[in-house]
């Protein structure tokens, strides 16, 4: 095989079938051969034209392998020996020839190599990275080969016309007849770990200098457990059981020791209810106004309690005498505050709700966006087949579905949206890496989005590209980048892409940093038009093909949340109507005659109470709106229910306290006595709630902080309106009833009012069903010592069980829970979890990279030869080998590696210059070739024959550029287009990977190295991946003495879960502590305050245990609900405790049962 005899139709040269002996080259030719093939000396079996062809062909492979000199040398030797070795005939046999232009040319050969040679060659190259696309060079130069035989098969295949590869078939064989003259090639193979050839750890993990990582290996967390015969329990659970049993024994022992004293105490208590009840009935029957009988003073009332009793007695008298004045004066305050509603705004941007302004993730996102570029917006479609009869879903890769994709693509391309009077298309806003075509991610890119190319090649070409997407030029996208099938297909087993059951189409759209909220106006307008297009036109098309469709846009979540808030407004209105009906029923009396119900009912009073609750909520929102604070959906959806619950409780307590007073007293005394009785407990409960919510505002998370502030103000206003306006309304309503006027129509009066008067608080009415149950059944049963022990044991046991369950709470907030159940995004998120095979992009950002010659930063970051073994890129590559703990899927795309390779003299097709010193592009790019507009091919025109490499080896310092060389050539690299002759061009791939602002000083302020997370399907995966990335970057920063941080688009939302337990515990403890302090100050009873604290703590623990059982995750919303539950529980605990302390002479249910029933 000697000389060139002909050319194929695509221009590829064909060798002659010739048995010519090796010839001695001249000095110049010998030098050229030595520069590329140093193992070939003396005679050669190739002509100058053959060598030039070899040189041109391997030029495309050099940029992939130059980072690992051992692999590059071995790879070049394989083809040097085949083309120019003087012993060529010993291991090459021409097996097929064909006649071209009356000349016999080579059409197929057998290339004999030993299996050991093949194994070692493959081993030296299998791990070499191709950082531009976060993959391995073997994916491009070997079609993803897993063995040396697969690699040889790929290298030896005969290329079709206009495709890269060999013009004739090369069959690599390691089996041969020992008796034949064949001597298989067994040349020296350089190990990638050979120190003299300096492959990096990222390209050669097996190297002896790369065995250890600077990072400690992640240790498998083993849980502590206790084995008991056949049972196995967690240490915490076992400890809680032991403590619980010990506590029960202690309580039981205490009960036995004080049994005699307990019996005496219980005996005396059983007589008190009867005496008290007899005394009460006696006073009621005599109708004698005796304040000391009806409102007994506690023997040990605190100073605060006494002051409050005096205040509420005077306040009740004043309100009774001036009800209208108090009513209008008190209502005037919230009405004035409501004026602030004209400035009412709702904050719906997630980053403004769930991200603390000073959070690390927020600062890192701001740095990334301002120094590099905001992460692009994502518009996505997921088409999938559906399984039937428990069978697997059929493949989606067929002719009909491909044609459907073209129809969908045409509709999306033709879509026009209106924005401020101008039309916006996808081409106006899409991400264009090379400034020409959109970076659409779709299986149609294998046909360059051209229906004609699909009709010519068919679906088989797509299946071919699934396996050769990285090596076949015909599979490149319109923006000249390979499309990884794992990013555009879903539901495939292993790597069987042809069996995929889903198409994933992604439209990346340019994103901008928002300052006024209008910077992305065009994109948002197009996205909303796109969603309407999908719903109205594309969805019916897809369903007609028996496929499923899910879809999303960047603005979808915010739009759906806004829609949910509108729907929830109806729920709030309905709840208020229901509560109004409930209040009207519970506040009213049960008259002896049906027609008297018109007078005794409390519909108007109940409606007025609900209005007061609404005023307190609106007043709170109006006040904070006036000072510029935006509301949130949590405020609009939660606070109305919270304040309504508190308000209804207080309204019932106030009304029934007045009704419990002896009918013989004048209304003024009944109201004042009622306020003395329940006013302190209402004040105590409300003050505890207000302070608990106010103190919770220390949380820096905007959503929970704003909720706490608004809730504290709303509860405070509600309390003030309850003790002023509502008391005034009670006075007016009781006067109306006493005057026999009809409820809701007070101008009308019934002719006989005898029964109606008796209906309002007269002693002829018996207790309600709940009151009878509490007094006759619940209270007496609870009074037994054994029952008390059982109740305490049961609820303490429940609290201990809840502690054990609480440890199983998972942090996070599933997006499906936040969105409306009928949202189209529900199916989209389900499909992402089901079909998505790649994780979110992950960037490691290096601050203030010093590229000067005097700095070691370059070798501390890069991962090619001569780079530090513990460099950033090498460590990322090493972490990608254990994705289950690092959550890093691939080696990083390093602009620094590609830049150093692009500059190196070995990559002779990359960094080149004209004679005048200007940049010279590769030979397959204009102006070095003539572009054919019809075919898209570029034919060499010889205009760049005089171009030379930018540098010689002697120009570099230990293989690295000087500070000046680095500074001058970096812009060239970032403007260089990638092509077949030089795949390392930085335009598109690294256009936004570094900030050149002020780089002339030798410092690059920010540069990013891109990789990918593993697929993240659960909330815990997102949280753990963030934690792992931060731990990794923190350790690398410490060891390399550089500022490095990780960034991914979801970090800003999941950072809160790293410390969610700390936040939850802090909020709960602060609220409980505040309640305890307030209770102690107002009651002067340490025991009562401690009991309230313990009960509230048990309630919160029980709620958290229930959350764990139901699978409710711990997040900011659940923390808000836990804080709110404390606020509601305070109402119950404080009122009951206060009633128990107040009725110290009757501490059975007979004494505090009325308050308990109303609560």
């Amino acid at each position: 095989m000697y000389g060139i005899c002909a050319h194929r139709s695509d221009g590829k040269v064909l060798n002659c079938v010739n048995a010519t002996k090796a010839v001695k080259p001249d000095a110049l030719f010998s030098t050229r051969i030595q520069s590329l093939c140093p193992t070939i000396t003396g005679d050669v079996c190739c002509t100058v034209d053959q060598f030039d062809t070899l040189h041109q062909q391997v030029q495309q492979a050099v940029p992939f392998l130059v980072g690992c000199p051992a692999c590059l040398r071995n790879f070049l030797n394989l083809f040097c020996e085949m083309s120019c070795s003087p012993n060529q005939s010993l291991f090459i046999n021409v097996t097929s020839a064909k006649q071209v232009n009356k000349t016999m040319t080579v059409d197929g050969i057998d290339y004999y190599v030993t299996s050991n040679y093949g194994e070692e060659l493959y081993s030296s190259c299998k791990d070499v990275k191709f950082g531009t696309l976060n993959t391995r060079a073997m994916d491009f130069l070997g079609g993803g080969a897993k063995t040396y035989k697969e690699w040889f098969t790929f290298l030896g295949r005969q290329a079709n016309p206009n495709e890269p590869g060999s013009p004739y078939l090369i069959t690599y064989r390691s089996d041969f007849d020992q008796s034949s003259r064949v001597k298989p090639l067994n040349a020296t193979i350089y190990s990638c770990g050979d120190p003299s050839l300096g492959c990096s750890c990222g390209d050669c993990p097996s190297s002896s200098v790369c065995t250890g990582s600077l990072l400690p290996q992640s240790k498998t967390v083993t849980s502590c457990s206790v084995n008991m015969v056949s049972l196995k329990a967690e240490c915490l659970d076992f400890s809680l059981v032991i403590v619980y049993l010990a506590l029960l024994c202690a309580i039981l022992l205490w009960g036995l020791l004080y049994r005699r004293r307990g019996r005496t105490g219980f005996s005396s208590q059983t007589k008190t209810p009867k005496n008290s009840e007899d005394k009460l009935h006696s006073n009621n029957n005599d109708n004698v106004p005796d304040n000391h009988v009806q409102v007994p003073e506690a023997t040990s009332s605190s100073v605060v309690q006494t002051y409050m009793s005096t205040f509420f007695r005077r306040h009740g008298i004043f309100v009774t005498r001036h009800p209208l004045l108090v009513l209008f004066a008190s209502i005037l305050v919230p009405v004035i505050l409501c004026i602030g509603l004209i400035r009412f705004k709702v904050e719906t941007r997630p980053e403004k709700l769930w991200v603390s302004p000073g959070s690390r993730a927020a600062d890192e996102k701001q740095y990334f966006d301002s120094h590099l570029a905001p992460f692009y917006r994502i518009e996505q479609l997921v088409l999938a087949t559906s399984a039937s009869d428990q069978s697997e879903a059929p493949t989606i890769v067929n002719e009909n579905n491909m044609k459907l994709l073209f129809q969908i693509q045409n509709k999306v391309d033709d879509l026009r949206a209106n924005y401020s009077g101008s039309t916006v298309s996808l081409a106006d806003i899409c991400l264009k890496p090379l400034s020409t075509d959109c970076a659409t991610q779709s299986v149609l890119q294998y046909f360059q989005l051209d229906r004609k190319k699909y009709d010519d090649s068919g679906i088989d070409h797509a299946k071919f590209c699934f396996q050769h997407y990285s090596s076949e030029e015909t599979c490149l996208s319109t923006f000249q980048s390979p499309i990884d099938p794992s990013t555009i297909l879903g539901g495939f087993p292993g790597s069987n892409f042809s069996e995929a059951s889903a198409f994933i189409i992604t439209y990346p759209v340019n994103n901008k940093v928002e300052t006024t909220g209008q910077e992305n106006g065009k994109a948002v307008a197009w996205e909303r038009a796109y969603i309407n297009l999908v719903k109205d036109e594309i969805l019916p098309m897809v369903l007609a093909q028996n496929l499923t469709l899910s879809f999303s846009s960047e603005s979808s979540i915010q739009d759906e949340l806004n829609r949910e808030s509108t729907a929830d407004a109806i729920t709030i209105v309905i709840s208020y109507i229901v509560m109004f009906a409930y209040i009207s029923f519970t506040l009213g009396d049960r008259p002896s005659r049906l027609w008297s119900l018109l007078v005794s009912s409390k519909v108007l009073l109940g409606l007025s109470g609900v209005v007061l609750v609404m005023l307190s909520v609106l007043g709170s929102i109006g006040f904070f709106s006036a000072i510029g604070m935006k509301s949130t959906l949590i405020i609009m959806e939660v606070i109305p229910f919270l304040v309504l619950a508190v308000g209804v409780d207080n309204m019932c307590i106030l009304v029934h306290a007045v009704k419990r007073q002896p009918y013989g007293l004048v209304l003024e005394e009944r109201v004042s006595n009622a306020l003395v009785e329940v006013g302190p407990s209402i004040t105590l409960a409300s003050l505890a709630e207000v302070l608990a919510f106010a103190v919770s505002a220390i949380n820096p998370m905007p959503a929970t902080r704003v909720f706490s502030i608004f809730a504290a103000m709303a509860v405070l206003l509600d309390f003030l309106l309850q003790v002023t306006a509502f008391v005034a309304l009670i006075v007016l309503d009781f006067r109306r009833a006493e005057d026999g006027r009809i409820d809701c129509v007070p101008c009308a009066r019934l002719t006989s009012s005898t029964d109606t008067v008796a209906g309002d608080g007269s002693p002829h009415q018996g207790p309600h069903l709940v009151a009878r149950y509490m007094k006759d059944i619940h209270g007496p049963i609870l009074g037994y010592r054994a029952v008390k022990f059982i109740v305490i044991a049961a609820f303490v046991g429940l609290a201990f069980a809840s502690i054990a369950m609480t440890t199983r709470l998972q942090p996070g907030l599933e997006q499906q829970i936040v969105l409306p159940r009928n949202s189209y995004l529900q199916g989209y998120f389900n499909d992402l979890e089901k079909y998505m095979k790649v994780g979110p992009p992950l960037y490691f950002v290096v601050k203030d990279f010093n590229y000067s010659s005097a700095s070691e930063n370059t070798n501390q970051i890069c991962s090619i030869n001569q780079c530090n073994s513990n460099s950033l890129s090498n460590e990322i590559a090493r972490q990608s080998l254990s994705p289950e703990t690092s959550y890093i899927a691939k080696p990083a795309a390093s602009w620094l590696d590609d830049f150093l390779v692009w500059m190196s003299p070995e990559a002779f097709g990359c960094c080149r210059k004209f004679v005048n010193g200007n940049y010279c592009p590769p030979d397959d790019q204009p102006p070095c070739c003539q572009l054919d507009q019809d075919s898209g091919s570029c034919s060499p025109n010889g205009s760049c024959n005089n171009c030379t490499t930018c540098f010689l080896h002697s120009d570099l310092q230990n293989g690295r550029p000087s500070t000046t060389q680095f500074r001058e050539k970096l812009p060239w690299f970032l403007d260089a287009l990638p092509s077949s002759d030089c795949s390392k061009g930085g335009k598109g791939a690294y256009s936004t990977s570094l900030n050149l602002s002020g780089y002339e000083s030798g410092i690059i302020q920010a540069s990013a190295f891109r990789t990918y997370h593993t697929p993240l399907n659960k909330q815990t995966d997102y949280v753990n991946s963030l934690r792992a990335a931060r731990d990794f970057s923190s350790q690398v920063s410490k060891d390399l003495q550089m500022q490095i941080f990780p960034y991914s688009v979801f970090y800003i939302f999941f950072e809160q879960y790293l410390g969610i337990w700390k936040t939850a515990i802090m909020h709960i403890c602060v609220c409980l502590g505040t309640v305890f302090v307030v209770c102690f100050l107002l009651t002067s009873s340490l025991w009562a305050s401690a009991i309230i604290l313990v009960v509230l703590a048990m309630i919160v623990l029980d709620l958290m245990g229930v959350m764990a059982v139901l699978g409710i995750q711990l997040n900011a919303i659940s923390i808000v609900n836990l804080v709110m539950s404390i606020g509601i529980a305070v109402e119950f605990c404080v009122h009951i405790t206060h009633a128990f302390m107040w009725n110290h002479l009757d501490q059975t249910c007979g004494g505090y049962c009325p308050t308990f029933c109303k609560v």
Side-chain angles (χ1 to χ4, degrees):
M1 191 169 69
Y2 182 84
I4 296 176
C5 297
H7 293 78
R8 290 201 321 181
S9 59
D10 60 355
K12 283 186 170 64
V13 298
L14 298 172
N15 292 336
C16 306
V17 179
N18 196 326
T20 303
K21 292 184 178 181
V23 298
K24 184 177 180 60
D26 57 35
L28 177 60
F29 187 26
S30 178
T31 302
R32 293 185 61 200
I33 291 178
Q34 286 289 301
S35 66
L36 185 67
C37 308
T39 59
I40 298 179
T41 59
D43 296 344
V44 296
C45 192
C46 62
T47 65
V48 174
D49 290 339
Q50 275 184 284
F51 179 79
D52 289 341
T53 300
L54 171 65
H55 194 278
Q56 181 181 2
Q57 289 176 340
V58 299
Q59 172 181 316
Q60 298 179 1
V62 168
F64 290 95
L65 305 176
V66 71
C68 182
C71 170
L72 177 62
R73 175 50 48 210
N74 295 333
F75 183 81
L76 293 178
N77 286 348
L78 177 68
F79 290 97
C80 285
E81 295 288 343
M82 183 186 74
S83 300
C84 295
S85 173
N87 302 317
Q88 180 193 94
S89 62
L90 297 179
F91 50 79
I92 288 182
N93 180 37
V94 177
T95 59
S96 175
K98 69 177 180 179
Q99 187 173 1
V100 178
N101 297 332
K102 300 181 180 180
T103 303
M104 296 303 295
T105 63
V106 175
D107 191 48
I109 65 172
D110 284 345
Y111 192 164
Y112 291 92
V113 298
T114 64
S115 57
N116 183 65
Y117 177 88
E119 288 279 6
E120 292 183 358
L121 173 62
Y122 176 77
S123 296
S124 68
C125 293
K126 65 179 181 179
D127 292 316
V128 176
K129 306 186 309 297
F130 181 62
T132 306
L133 293 176
N134 301 94
T135 185
R136 303 288 179 182
M138 191 59 67
D139 292 338
F140 290 82
L141 300 180
K146 304 300 182 184
T147 64
Y148 83 91
K149 292 182 178 180
E150 292 180 5
W151 190 19
F152 281 166
T153 300
F154 179 84
L155 292 175
R157 63 191 176 86
Q158 187 174 16
N160 295 321
N162 297 314
E163 290 184 359
S166 173
Y168 49 84
L169 178 65
I170 305 174
T171 304
Y172 292 88
R173 302 184 61 180
S174 57
D175 56 324
F176 60 94
D177 188 354
Q178 295 290 342
S179 61
S180 66
R181 66 178 185 87
V182 173
K183 293 184 179 181
L185 179 66
N186 194 22
T188 301
I189 292 292
Y190 300 95
S191 169
C192 67
D194 189 337
S196 63
L197 292 172
C199 292
S200 71
C201 294
D203 294 329
C204 185
S206 61
S207 173
S208 59
V209 299
C210 306
T211 54
S213 170
L214 63 84
L215 296 178
Q217 293 295 322
S218 299
K219 297 181 180 180
T220 303
V221 179
T222 57
S223 59
C224 174
S225 60
V226 177
N227 295 320
M228 298 175 294
V229 191
S230 60
L231 298 177
K232 183 178 181 181
E234 298 289 335
C235 289
L236 176 63
D237 299 345
F238 181 77
S239 302
L240 288 173
V241 171
I242 297 299
V243 173
Y244 174 64
L245 293 177
L247 185 61
L248 286 187
C249 292
I251 296 175
L252 186 59
L253 181 61
W254 177 84
L256 293 175
L257 291 176
Y258 292 90
R259 184 176 182 181
R260 185 181 303 277
R261 180 180 177 183
R263 284 179 176 177
T264 304
F266 182 77
S267 176
S268 63
Q269 287 181 12
T270 55
K271 298 177 182 179
T272 303
K274 186 176 187 305
N275 295 337
S276 298
E277 186 177 350
D278 292 342
K279 187 174 183 179
L280 179 62
H281 278 294
S282 174
N283 288 321
N284 287 345
N285 292 332
D286 294 340
N287 291 333
V288 178
D290 185 353
N291 296 341
H292 293 285
V293 174
Q294 306 310 323
V295 189
E297 297 291 339
T299 58
S300 59
S301 296
S302 66
V303 176
V304 177
Q305 184 81 12
T306 303
Y307 173 80
M308 284 195 297
S309 298
T310 303
F311 169 79
F312 277 113
R313 185 176 301 282
R314 294 175 179 176
H315 175 70
I317 295 174
F318 179 81
V319 174
T320 308
R321 294 175 179 176
H322 312 284
L324 292 179
L325 175 63
V326 173
L327 176 63
F328 289 111
S330 57
I331 289 179
L332 183 62
V333 175
V335 170
I336 294 176
L337 293 179
C338 288
I339 298 176
L341 292 173
I342 60 176
R343 299 187 59 187
F344 174 74
K345 293 181 181 179
V346 178
E347 183 62 80
T348 57
R349 290 175 294 177
E351 65 273 13
K352 297 295 184 182
L353 293 174
W354 307 112
V355 182
S356 303
S359 75
R360 173 180 168 182
D363 293 341
E364 289 171 350
K365 180 181 186 300
Q366 192 277 332
Y367 186 91
F368 187 91
D369 291 349
S370 59
H371 286 79
L372 299 172
F375 191 76
Y376 52 81
R377 305 171 71 88
I378 296 177
E379 334 297 340
Q380 210 160 45
L381 296 170
V382 180
L383 287 79
T385 57
S386 54
S388 58
D389 300 330
Q390 298 181 349
S391 61
E392 294 184 358
T395 178
I396 198 171
V397 185
N398 59 46
E399 297 281 351
N400 291 335
N401 295 334
M402 293 294 287
K403 293 177 181 178
L404 174 64
L405 282 187
F406 276 108
Q407 297 176 23
I408 294 174
Q409 185 63 44
N410 291 336
K411 286 187 174 293
V412 173
D413 289 338
D414 295 339
L415 177 63
R416 298 293 183 272
N418 181 39
Y419 178 73
S420 299
S422 60
T423 59
V424 181
S425 66
L426 178 61
D428 297 327
I429 59 175
C430 69
L431 180 68
K432 299 178 181 179
L434 302 182
S435 305
T436 53
D437 297 287
C438 295
T440 301
Q441 304 288 308
S442 169
V443 69
L444 301 183
Q445 286 287 12
Y446 293 137
F447 308 96
Q448 292 75 51
L449 304 179
D450 189 340
R451 176 63 184 270
K452 184 177 182 301
K453 290 184 179 180
Y454 171 76
D455 293 336
D456 294 341
S457 56
I459 198 171
D460 290 336
H461 177 69
K463 295 180 179 180
F464 172 79
C465 290
F466 292 162
Q467 305 301 326
H468 305 95
Y469 70 95
S470 58
S471 56
E472 287 296 329
E473 189 171 358
T474 56
C475 297
L476 293 180
S477 63
T478 55
F479 53 99
Q480 298 302 302
S481 176
I483 301 294
D484 188 341
S486 63
T487 63
I488 57 175
L489 299 172
F492 51 85
S495 297
N496 298 323
F497 300 114
S498 297
E499 299 180 20
S501 58
F503 286 140
I504 302 174
I505 304 106
T506 306
Y507 301 101
V509 170
N510 287 317
N511 203 357
K512 297 179 181 179
V513 179
E514 290 196 354
T515 55
T516 64
Q518 301 299 320
E519 287 77 7
N520 291 303
K522 288 185 177 181
V524 172
W526 187 88
E527 287 165 357
R528 289 171 178 167
Y530 155 79
I531 293 297
N532 291 332
L533 172 71
V534 175
K535 289 180 178 179
D536 298 338
E537 300 184 31
I538 296 180
L539 182 58
M541 294 167 51
V542 174
L543 295 179
Q545 294 282 358
N546 293 323
L547 301 176
T548 63
L549 175 67
S550 59
F551 50 94
S552 171
S553 71
E554 187 72 18
S555 56
S556 289
I557 292 180
Q558 185 171 334
D559 290 344
E560 287 297 282
L561 290 178
N562 291 340
R563 183 173 69 86
E564 182 185 27
S565 64
T566 304
D568 287 341
I570 300 175
T571 305
I572 295 174
V573 171
I574 293 175
S575 67
Y576 269 67
I577 293 175
V578 172
M579 292 305 295
F580 158 66
Y582 169 76
I583 294 171
S584 300
F585 174 76
T586 56
L587 295 186
D589 295 304
R590 294 173 296 130
S592 57
R593 299 180 183 180
L594 183 61
W595 59 270
S596 299
L597 181 65
L598 297 176
V599 175
S600 63
S601 67
K602 304 293 182 185
V603 174
L604 190 59
L605 182 62
L607 177 62
S608 302
V610 172
V611 171
L612 293 180
V613 172
M614 294 177 61
L615 275 177
S616 63
V617 175
L618 295 176
S620 175
I621 298 175
F623 172 74
F624 290 109
S625 297
I627 63 176
M629 292 185 65
K630 291 185 178 181
S631 182
T632 66
L633 296 178
I634 294 180
I635 292 172
M636 298 171 61
E637 297 171 1
V638 177
I639 290 183
F641 294 103
L642 170 64
V643 180
L644 183 63
V646 174
V648 169
D649 189 22
N650 290 341
M651 283 188 283
C652 290
I653 290 175
L654 283 170
V655 172
H656 287 285
V658 175
K659 291 166 65 175
R660 284 200 306 271
Q661 303 306 314
Y663 181 71
L665 296 177
V666 296
L667 183 59
E668 179 180 300
E669 293 182 349
R670 279 188 282 162
V671 172
S672 61
N673 288 347
L675 285 178
V676 171
E677 179 184 344
V678 300
S681 66
I682 292 177
T683 303
L684 175 58
S686 300
L687 184 59
E689 291 167 351
V690 171
L691 292 180
F693 286 125
V695 174
S696 298
I698 62 175
N699 185 8
M701 188 176 297
T704 56
R705 177 170 52 83
V706 172
F707 166 81
S708 299
I709 295 174
F710 277 66
M713 184 67 174
V715 173
L716 177 61
L717 289 176
D718 180 57
F719 164 70
L720 295 176
L721 289 176
Q722 295 291 339
V723 297
T724 55
F726 190 71
V727 173
L729 289 170
I730 291 175
V731 171
L732 295 175
D733 186 76
F734 271 71
R735 287 179 179 176
R736 172 198 61 79
E738 291 176 353
D739 203 25
R741 298 184 182 274
I742 299 177
D743 190 22
C744 298
V745 190
C747 297
R749 179 185 297 175
L750 292 180
T751 56
S752 176
S753 60
T754 304
D755 291 331
T756 59
V757 172
D760 272 315
S762 76
H764 303 295
Q765 292 191 44
H768 290 275
L769 178 63
V770 176
R772 292 201 304 270
Y773 164 77
M774 288 294 175
K775 182 177 180 180
D776 300 335
I777 300 176
H778 190 87
I781 292 178
L782 199 59
Y784 290 107
R785 187 176 300 276
V787 175
K788 292 178 181 179
F789 178 81
I790 294 173
V791 170
I792 293 175
F795 281 95
V796 171
L798 185 61
F800 273 78
S802 297
I803 293 175
M805 293 303 302
T806 299
T807 60
R808 294 157 173 80
L809 270 177
Q810 296 294 329
L813 177 62
E814 296 292 346
Q815 293 164 310
Q816 293 93 323
I817 297 176
V818 180
L819 297 166
R821 292 186 178 181
N822 62 346
S823 172
Y824 61 86
L825 291 177
Q826 295 284 357
Y828 170 74
F829 287 122
N830 291 334
D831 283 351
L832 281 190
E833 181 177 339
K834 182 177 181 181
Y835 298 118
M836 188 62 72
K837 298 292 185 179
V838 294
L842 166 63
Y843 300 87
F844 286 97
V845 181
V846 178
K847 291 183 178 181
D848 300 329
F849 163 44
N850 187 345
Y851 64 80
S852 65
S853 303
S855 173
E856 285 293 321
N857 282 178
T858 298
N859 287 336
Q860 289 177 322
I861 295 176
C862 66
S863 61
I864 59 174
N865 59 309
Q866 300 185 21
C867 297
N868 294 354
S869 62
N870 64 346
S871 68
L872 172 63
S873 297
N874 279 333
E875 285 299 332
I876 294 174
R878 188 176 286 114
Q879 291 296 307
S880 68
L881 300 178
S882 54
E884 64 282 350
T885 55
S886 68
Y887 293 90
I888 297 176
K890 300 179 179 181
S894 172
W895 67 267
L896 183 59
D897 285 355
D898 286 353
F899 174 54
L900 295 176
V901 168
W902 181 84
M903 289 182 63
S904 66
E906 286 88 351
F908 42 80
C910 292
C911 186
R912 308 195 306 171
K913 59 183 178 180
F914 287 108
V915 177
N916 61 5
N918 292 332
Y919 172 67
C920 176
D923 288 332
D924 59 350
Q925 295 181 22
C928 298
C929 60
Q930 186 65 40
L931 182 63
D932 187 342
Q933 297 294 340
D934 296 330
S935 64
S937 60
C938 203
S939 304
N941 54 21
S943 60
C944 297
N945 289 343
N946 294 328
C947 288
T948 59
T949 58
C950 295
F951 305 106
L952 301 176
H953 284 286
S954 58
D955 297 330
L956 303 177
Q957 304 171 8
N958 296 323
R960 296 288 182 262
S962 66
T963 305
T964 302
Q965 292 167 342
F966 197 112
R967 180 171 56 246
E968 290 178 351
K969 296 303 182 286
L970 184 57
W972 286 17
F973 166 72
L974 295 176
D975 287 335
L977 290 169
S979 63
S980 297
D981 283 357
C982 180
S983 60
K984 294 293 185 177
K987 187 169 185 178
Y990 301 117
S991 298
T992 59
S993 292
L994 63 164
N995 183 1
L996 293 184
S997 177
Y999 89 106
E1000 297 85 355
S1001 63
I1003 302 293
I1004 297 178
Q1005 295 182 19
S1007 58
F1009 299 85
R1010 184 190 69 248
T1011 180
Y1012 289 88
H1013 277 300
T1014 54
L1016 307 176
N1017 296 323
K1018 298 181 295 184
Q1019 295 286 294
T1020 52
D1021 292 338
Y1022 286 95
V1023 178
N1024 292 335
S1025 65
L1026 168 58
R1027 181 181 290 108
R1030 284 193 171 178
D1031 291 344
F1032 169 75
S1033 62
S1034 176
Q1035 187 65 45
V1036 171
S1037 299
K1038 178 181 177 181
D1039 291 334
L1040 300 183
Q1041 296 298 305
M1042 302 177 70
Q1043 297 183 65
I1044 304 170
F1045 69 85
Y1047 172 76
S1048 191
V1049 67
F1050 69 87
Y1051 283 0
I1052 192 171
F1053 301 112
F1054 284 85
E1055 183 190 37
Q1056 58 176 300
Y1057 302 120
L1058 296 179
I1060 195 67
W1061 273 107
K1062 178 181 178 181
T1063 302
I1065 293 173
M1066 179 189 69
H1067 270 70
I1068 293 171
C1069 291
V1070 166
C1071 289
L1072 293 178
T1074 304
V1075 171
F1076 174 79
V1077 171
V1078 172
C1079 291
F1080 180 70
L1081 291 177
L1082 296 187
T1083 63
S1084 298
S1085 173
L1086 182 62
W1087 277 109
S1089 304
I1091 291 172
I1092 292 174
L1093 177 66
V1094 170
V1095 173
L1096 290 177
M1098 292 174 62
I1099 291 173
V1100 173
L1101 285 174
D1102 292 344
L1103 281 175
M1104 297 179 72
V1106 172
M1107 287 172 58
V1109 172
L1110 299 180
I1112 300 174
Q1113 295 167 317
L1114 186 65
N1115 49 61
I1117 294 179
S1118 58
I1119 291 176
V1120 167
N1121 288 329
L1122 289 173
V1123 172
M1124 185 177 67
S1125 68
I1126 294 175
I1128 296 176
V1130 165
E1131 285 281 320
F1132 305 146
C1133 298
V1134 166
H1135 289 313
I1136 294 173
T1137 304
H1138 185 270
F1140 187 89
M1141 296 175 62
W1142 188 264
N1143 295 276
H1144 67 283
L1145 296 176
D1146 185 6
Q1147 293 182 347
T1148 65
C1149 191
Y1152 57 87
C1153 188
T1155 300
F1156 185 78
C1157 295
K1158 306 316 170 189
V1159 169

